[in-house]
Amino acid sequence: MSRSLSASATPRIVFLISHLELIEQPSQLAREVASVIPAYAGQADIRIVDLAFADVLAFAQAVEGNSEADVFVCAGATGAYLRRQIGTPVVLMQASGHDILYALDKARETTGAAAVVRYRHPIVDLEYVRRLWGVDIKQGTYTTLAEAQALVSTLGGQGCKVIIGSSMVTQSARQHGLVGILAVSPAAIRRALDDALATMDAARAEAAERTWLNATLRHLSDGVIAVDAKGMIQAINPALASVIGVQVASSVGQDVDQLAPQLEFKRLLAEGGQRRNQVLHLGQHTVLASLYPMHEHGEVVGAVMVCQDASTVHGADRQLRMSAKRQEHRARYTLDQIIGSSPAIRSQIDLARRYAGTDSTVLIYGESGTGKELFAQGIHSASPRASCPFVAINCASLPEALLESELFGYEEGAFTGARKGGKPGLFEMAHTGTIFLDEIGDMPSTLQTRLLRVLQEREVVRLGGTQPTPINVRVIAATHRRLRERVESGECREDLYYRLSILQLRLPPLRERHGDLRALATHIIAGIAARAGLRRDFAALVDRLLPALERHRWPGNIRELENVLERAVLSCSDEGTLAQQDDLIDLLFDAEDLPVPDARRSAAGSPAARPVTELARIRDAIDRCGGNLSRAAQSMGMSRTTLWRRLKAAERSE
């Protein structure tokens, strides 16, 4: 094959002129070509070679083997013959109608009829030229050298004295005692050289594209393979080749199903259309394969398959979810979404709305589950910072070292495993917005000093760094602890306490909001039903539950209420009524905490009483649920495992 092409390489063109036998060098055509070459100085390195036809193939193969030519230029049959034998591009030099007219004008200087002999294609308009000039012009075509020689002999026998054609045709004419005139003008030579240069430009572009494509494929971590319509491999990258245990170079040109039957390539292709995320097992690897057919003029001409390692996909999915979470720094709730009309909650909503117009630090007190973050988001959403980040962190959920790096960030090399380039902390990420420090009362005392400096100086120094970064952040903190008592015990810095408690909210527990229970229950049940795909009206359920809800103390506040209502909704029959209406208490407490019933129930229609054992209670629940243990456990407010354990224990005790 010819050498690799580069943008700076000068094209090397071999103008190959074949003869029946070499009579003179340079030949007439060689002299014509030489007269044109100076016009291409600097554009190409052009070499002219006269050869006997019998030596053409061996010469071309030798030139190709030594990478001495980028393109050959030949006339008619010689060029067509070489195209079938070598891989280097071959450009055909073909005479146009103008060239034939040029040759015919020369033929008029001689006596006798003239004939035009061309490779393959006759001149359609030659009859018009014959009538216009009033000369006797014949023509014929050939596809092989033997046909050309026979045709010249026949035309000579028909009285033609002048033969117009290629170098070999004119030489054959002279051998038969006829006049041979080349059907090649300087214009035809220039066209052939221009075509050769255009071929080189196209080859350069194709080579550059292939080089770029191969480089891209080499660097892809995903496996890629491309085949033609017959299933022959056209390209494969190292990532996939290593997985299926083949070599890239030896794979090209092979049948894909024979080389890698585990890809099931032809089967997927035969099923038509794109195939996405097909699970394939390639040795020790599980991959997700996607097939993309390639179409031209409505027909499939090949296909590309991309294989992603399953572990890579899992990792990417995790990174995407983590990235989405990190970029989720937006408040989702507003103060208007806080449900309740009781004075206890309305006073705090009104106060929060006033606080939203300031930049002062807010400290929110409230038991667990009272909605402290909901209020924090609501304040942010009602503030001028609403379009800026809202960043939340639970100060009690992380170890001290991790909490420090999360809040304040770190520089590269700050500790073993630190990310290259460092990482901004949550204070930096909340710049221009709000940071919510939940459970601030549980922040380690060693970090309280750093937090105090941030609040005072409005700047952050990353872990392992020395340069402070100015920040513009509004701070909202929350706690369920009594911070003043922690100050007295030395667990909270007094100066930090006063920095945090400039503005205060005290959220009422649910037991002080009985007037809000109906609205809360209705709203919560609507959300539960939507998530479960239930489209029933649960108003009757709310009415039935409300007396029991109002009697309960709700130590878990809204979270506990949500749990109770979810158990109630999922324990309902299709009509929306509780499975056992007199067991509402089971919905309000965790089943593990309920005492074993020891009351006596009166038998129907009988004053006698009998003890209700644990075993009888469980069997009764199972009977009501048609023997379904999962539904029985659900109706009793416990897990299926707990139900089974209690059932076995009760049977043993009986």
Side-chain angles (χ1 to χ4, degrees):
M1 297 295 285
S2 60
R3 65 176 175 177
S4 308
L5 298 176
S6 67
S8 60
T10 301
R12 296 166 303 170
I13 301 173
V14 173
F15 212 113
L16 190 53
I17 305 171
S18 61
H19 307 275
L20 295 176
E21 56 180 329
L22 273 177
I23 300 175
E24 58 177 348
Q25 283 188 309
S27 64
Q28 180 183 355
L29 179 55
R31 293 193 297 271
E32 292 281 357
V33 174
S35 69
V36 173
I37 285 178
Y40 291 84
Q43 297 183 57
D45 178 8
I46 304 172
R47 175 184 174 191
I48 307 171
V49 178
D50 279 313
L51 278 178
F53 180 77
D55 300 328
V56 165
L57 179 58
F59 173 81
Q61 289 175 334
V63 169
E64 182 177 70
N66 295 325
S67 298
E68 296 174 353
D70 297 315
V71 63
F72 288 96
V73 178
C74 303
T78 303
Y81 171 68
L82 282 185
R83 280 182 172 177
R84 296 191 297 269
Q85 305 297 325
I86 62 176
T88 304
V90 178
V91 171
L92 300 184
M93 181 177 60
Q94 297 178 330
S96 67
H98 176 272
D99 297 315
I100 298 300
L101 291 176
Y102 181 81
L104 285 172
D105 189 54
K106 287 185 176 181
R108 290 201 303 174
E109 299 173 0
T110 64
T111 58
V116 177
V117 177
R118 283 170 54 88
Y119 175 71
R120 283 184 179 265
H121 305 294
I123 300 175
V124 177
D125 296 331
L126 192 60
E127 178 62 22
Y128 296 107
V129 175
R130 186 187 68 77
R131 291 201 301 266
L132 178 65
W133 283 5
V135 296
D136 185 15
I137 305 173
K138 299 181 183 296
Q139 72 170 321
T141 60
Y142 64 93
T143 56
T144 66
L145 176 60
E147 288 181 2
Q149 291 176 310
L151 181 58
V152 169
S153 176
T154 300
L155 290 171
Q158 294 175 355
C160 292
K161 302 299 183 182
V162 180
I163 302 296
I164 299 171
S166 66
S167 180
M168 283 200 303
V169 167
T170 56
Q171 190 175 7
S172 178
R174 288 194 289 272
Q175 288 177 343
H176 286 81
L178 307 176
V179 176
I181 298 178
L182 284 173
V184 178
S185 68
I189 297 171
R190 286 192 292 270
R191 282 197 306 272
L193 292 175
D194 290 341
D195 288 346
L197 291 175
T199 299
M200 291 299 301
D201 289 340
R204 273 201 183 95
E206 183 178 349
E209 183 176 346
R210 180 169 291 276
T211 299
W212 180 86
L213 177 60
N214 289 337
T216 301
L217 291 178
R218 281 198 305 272
H219 289 86
L220 284 178
S221 58
D222 293 339
V224 180
I225 184 171
V227 305
D228 61 17
K230 297 180 180 179
M232 308 305 289
I233 298 173
Q234 301 301 304
I236 183 172
N237 72 336
L240 183 58
S242 64
V243 169
I244 61 178
V246 299
Q247 298 295 319
V248 172
S250 60
S251 298
V252 176
Q254 300 295 315
D255 184 282
V256 66
D257 275 7
Q258 292 182 5
L259 188 69
Q262 62 270 47
L263 291 179
E264 303 179 26
F265 206 112
K266 290 184 180 178
R267 178 187 67 79
L268 293 175
L269 187 58
E271 292 176 359
Q274 290 188 4
R275 302 300 298 250
R276 305 294 296 274
N277 299 327
Q278 300 291 304
V279 178
L280 300 179
H281 300 285
L282 308 180
Q284 300 298 316
H285 299 265
T286 299
V287 303
L288 293 181
S290 296
L291 186 72
Y292 304 94
M294 296 181 291
H295 296 83
E296 284 186 9
H297 308 297
E299 294 186 1
V300 176
V301 296
V304 174
M305 178 181 283
V306 179
C307 298
Q308 295 179 290
D309 190 273
S311 61
T312 302
V313 174
H314 289 314
D317 176 67
R318 180 172 179 270
Q319 289 297 322
L320 284 172
R321 286 186 280 111
M322 290 175 60
S323 176
K325 184 65 178 177
R326 286 195 297 269
Q327 296 174 12
E328 231 179 40
H329 298 316
R330 292 288 183 269
R332 294 177 295 164
Y333 301 107
T334 67
L335 293 173
D336 292 333
Q337 292 175 274
I338 299 175
I339 296 172
S341 57
S342 63
I345 197 67
R346 290 310 314 173
S347 63
Q348 298 306 298
I349 294 174
D350 293 341
L351 198 57
R353 207 178 300 278
R354 291 197 295 273
Y355 289 170
T358 75
D359 267 346
S360 300
T361 302
V362 180
L363 181 60
I364 304 175
Y365 285 96
E367 296 178 6
S368 178
T370 52
K372 296 187 288 295
E373 183 169 353
L374 180 61
F375 267 81
Q377 290 194 29
I379 292 172
H380 174 81
S381 297
S383 75
R385 299 174 181 264
S387 61
C388 300
F390 176 87
V391 179
I393 185 171
N394 189 310
C395 298
S397 64
L398 298 175
E400 181 178 338
L402 184 55
L403 178 61
E404 183 178 20
S405 66
E406 284 294 306
L407 282 174
F408 308 114
Y410 56 82
E411 297 289 359
E412 180 178 345
F415 51 84
T416 302
R419 180 189 300 176
K420 185 176 182 180
K423 176 180 177 291
L426 294 181
F427 273 102
E428 290 182 60
M429 296 172 72
H431 180 60
T432 72
T434 301
I435 188 168
F436 175 55
L437 305 175
D438 197 9
E439 302 299 351
I440 190 68
D442 294 302
M443 174 175 279
S445 57
T446 52
L447 296 186
Q448 293 179 20
T449 303
R450 294 201 65 180
L451 176 60
L452 179 62
R453 179 172 180 80
V454 172
L455 296 177
Q456 289 175 336
E457 305 299 332
R458 296 294 170 175
E459 61 184 25
V460 157
V461 178
R462 292 186 183 182
L463 189 63
T466 57
Q467 296 299 318
T469 301
I471 56 170
N472 173 15
V473 174
R474 202 259 178 93
V475 177
I476 301 177
T479 183
H480 70 284
R481 298 185 180 275
R482 296 179 180 272
L483 287 191
R484 188 178 293 277
E485 293 179 0
R486 293 181 71 80
V487 170
E488 293 173 356
S489 66
E491 295 175 281
C492 178
R493 290 180 60 106
E494 185 175 18
D495 45 5
L496 176 61
Y497 167 72
Y498 287 115
R499 275 285 176 184
L500 290 173
S501 60
I502 298 174
L503 302 176
Q504 295 184 7
L505 287 175
R506 296 185 179 274
L507 305 188
L510 187 55
R511 60 183 172 274
E512 298 177 8
R513 300 176 54 190
H514 284 173
D516 296 332
L517 278 171
R518 178 180 292 277
L520 285 168
T522 301
H523 175 77
I524 292 170
I525 285 177
I528 294 169
R531 291 193 298 273
L534 304 176
R535 298 185 178 181
R536 302 198 298 272
D537 183 2
F538 287 93
L541 175 61
V542 174
D543 292 339
R544 185 66 187 170
L545 288 173
L546 196 58
L549 299 180
E550 291 177 339
R551 288 195 301 269
H552 189 51
R553 295 288 294 169
W554 300 112
N557 292 294
I558 302 295
R559 291 196 189 98
E560 185 184 4
L561 177 62
E562 290 173 341
N563 293 344
V564 166
L565 294 176
E566 185 160 2
R567 287 200 293 270
V569 168
L570 298 180
S571 298
C572 282
S573 65
D574 290 341
E575 291 74 28
T577 58
L578 288 175
Q580 187 178 2
Q581 296 181 356
D582 58 353
D583 277 347
L584 289 180
I585 192 66
D586 287 349
L587 297 170
L588 301 181
F589 295 99
D590 289 336
E592 297 282 354
D593 299 329
L594 288 174
V596 176
D598 57 2
R600 297 177 178 271
R601 293 184 181 177
S602 298
S606 172
R610 60 179 177 84
V612 180
T613 65
E614 174 81 350
L615 181 60
R617 184 169 175 265
I618 293 175
R619 284 176 174 173
D620 183 51
I622 294 174
D623 290 341
R624 289 199 312 272
C625 296
N628 188 311
L629 292 182
S630 296
R631 289 177 57 192
Q634 191 178 68
S635 70
M636 298 181 72
M638 65 180 72
S639 70
R640 189 179 189 278
T641 303
T642 300
L643 177 68
W644 181 258
R645 176 169 51 80
R646 287 191 175 186
L647 175 61
K648 292 303 177 183
E651 288 176 342
R652 286 194 299 269
S653 65
E654 289 284 318

